[in-house]
Amino acid sequence: MSMFDIIGPIMIGPSSSHTAGAARIGLMARHIFQEEPKKADITVYGSFAKTYRGHGTDRALVAGILGIGADDVRLRTSFEIAKERHVEINLHPSDAEVRHPNTVRIRLTGEDNRVLEVLGVSLGGGKIEIREINGFEAVLTGEDHTLMTFHHDKPGIIARVSTLLAMKGINVSTMRVFRSGRNERAVMIIATDGRVPNESVEEIKKIDGVNNVITILPL
């Protein structure tokens, strides 16, 4: 156990689960989306749905979506900042049953109507997990350097990505692949010991069957 686990994260707000965790989920959604959205549709469940106003969960989620961290005083005025930036925010509490009490679904829409939908949970102490990305099962914590590929499920892609990383001396700590079905859409999430350089990202994008590649730095 670390000191972070004992005293919690540095943050604005009363709750590491409902405020700091919520801000990190929003920030992770923004990193995956790779741009500031024009609209954010947010659905909160369980404990989030019951206490989101009192614990500042709503403001924290919006702050993260805007790129504002849990320790930034601007978190308190995130709705006002969203209005200034012309980002439409729609937040809805839901009484649907979920596996984890601190659950949120975020749907982001971009300038060209590109859409990203993620499901995240706040685990306590500011720790989070993104468990769905556009309907795919996922496990993304924001604690590691991460490379994500969105690709067509076909033989050879995993091997080629692994080879390119090895050639750059990049060590893989974990790798998970999720797919919608055989020979259909797939997502690969790779945690690495260090940052993947831009030139490697560009090489991976050129692999036949790869549609998009993003990198996420530790939050």
Side-chain angles (χ1 to χ4, degrees):
M1 180 175 289
S2 69
M3 286 299 295
F4 181 88
D5 296 314
I6 297 170
I7 64 175
I10 299 171
M11 65 181 188
I12 302 297
S15 170
S16 60
S17 294
H18 288 228
T19 313
R24 286 168 64 88
I25 293 171
L27 195 58
M28 180 63 75
R30 180 189 176 94
H31 286 339
I32 298 170
F33 197 52
Q34 294 190 300
E35 66 175 274
E36 181 152 292
K38 302 305 292 182
K39 182 170 74 168
D41 295 293
I42 305 167
T43 305
V44 286
Y45 303 88
S47 180
F48 270 6
K50 294 175 182 176
T51 64
Y52 69 92
R53 286 197 180 96
H55 284 176
T57 305
D58 51 354
R59 288 173 287 167
L61 288 165
V62 172
I65 290 168
L66 296 175
I68 298 169
D71 60 346
D72 193 319
V73 295
R74 292 178 297 165
L75 183 150
R76 299 190 180 105
T77 57
S78 60
F79 277 91
E80 290 83 353
I81 295 171
K83 188 174 182 179
E84 292 170 0
R85 296 186 186 178
H86 305 290
V87 179
E88 178 185 341
I89 303 294
N90 302 301
L91 191 145
H92 312 281
S94 172
D95 58 4
E97 292 189 10
V98 288
R99 295 182 180 180
H100 193 282
N102 301 329
T103 299
V104 58
R105 185 176 296 277
I106 301 174
R107 181 181 175 89
L108 303 179
T109 304
E111 187 75 47
D112 57 355
N113 292 321
R114 184 171 64 92
V115 172
L116 170 76
E117 187 170 300
V118 302
L119 180 79
V121 299
S122 178
L123 303 174
K127 295 181 181 294
I128 67 161
E129 278 187 1
I130 300 298
R131 294 185 173 178
E132 285 184 21
I133 301 173
N134 283 346
F136 287 101
E137 180 185 356
V139 179
L140 193 58
T141 66
E143 296 180 359
D144 304 293
H145 290 273
T146 303
L147 175 81
M148 294 180 61
T149 67
F150 297 84
H151 62 273
H152 183 75
D153 178 54
K154 58 187 293 187
I157 289 181
I158 295 172
R160 289 198 62 187
V161 172
S162 300
T163 299
L164 284 171
L165 293 177
M167 290 173 62
K168 293 293 184 180
I170 299 167
N171 193 45
V172 173
S173 57
T174 63
M175 174 188 291
R176 299 192 182 194
V177 181
F178 308 91
R179 63 183 187 177
S180 58
R182 186 176 181 181
N183 297 321
E184 296 183 7
R185 295 178 304 135
V187 173
M188 178 162 54
I189 302 175
I190 304 173
T192 62
D193 289 344
R195 183 177 177 274
V196 178
N198 292 335
E199 55 266 29
S200 296
V201 173
E202 293 304 316
E203 290 180 33
I204 293 170
K205 286 181 179 179
K206 295 176 183 177
I207 296 174
D208 183 42
V210 173
N211 300 316
N212 193 22
V213 181
I214 67 172
T215 56
I216 301 173
L217 301 179
L219 295 180

